[in-house]
Amino acid sequence: MSTPAARRQAPDRDPGLQPERTRLAWRRTTLSGTVVAVLAVKTVLHGGASAAGVVAGALCCVLWLGFLSVAHRRIRTLAATPSPASFAPRHAAAAVLCTVAMAACGAALVL
């Protein structure tokens, strides 16, 4: 069991390759979102351009741009320093919102 004095003098944590792995995960997720947006546009154009389809496809593209913005900001932060700051809760919420809404738009286009 460690004493309080020993815990205060603990060396800084070495993140190792974790920031790089996280950065690569953001890139993969961005690529997946790109595929979703492209398939949404393809579905709208291939199935006949109904008003609801065009709105869902456009919304999917806007959500993709929002996710791309959040992801790009995080990728830059992870690449800039060896020990990056934690992800802001509002950015995390924006990424989740964009992802879930893109999935809903994709489901609406398929159905």
Side-chain angles (χ1 to χ4, degrees):
M1 188 154 143
S2 63
T3 64
R7 275 186 259 146
R8 280 184 287 204
Q9 294 179 5
D12 287 337
R13 177 179 135 343
D14 179 18
L17 294 177
Q18 188 227 350
E20 183 178 354
R21 287 192 310 269
T22 304
R23 188 171 42 89
L24 291 172
W26 275 103
R27 288 185 188 271
R28 284 190 307 269
T29 306
T30 302
L31 179 61
S32 298
T34 303
V35 170
V36 168
V38 168
L39 289 176
V41 170
K42 180 182 180 278
T43 301
V44 168
L45 296 177
H46 180 67
S50 69
V54 170
V55 168
L59 185 60
C60 193
C61 289
V62 168
L63 290 166
W64 171 72
L65 288 172
F67 183 83
L68 188 65
S69 172
V70 171
H72 183 66
R73 176 179 287 132
R74 187 62 183 161
I75 289 169
R76 278 191 323 206
T77 301
L78 289 168
T81 66
S83 182
S86 63
F87 199 36
R90 66 187 172 108
H91 293 143
V96 169
L97 176 69
C98 288
T99 303
V100 170
M102 262 199 310
C105 287
L109 283 172
V110 171
L111 301 175

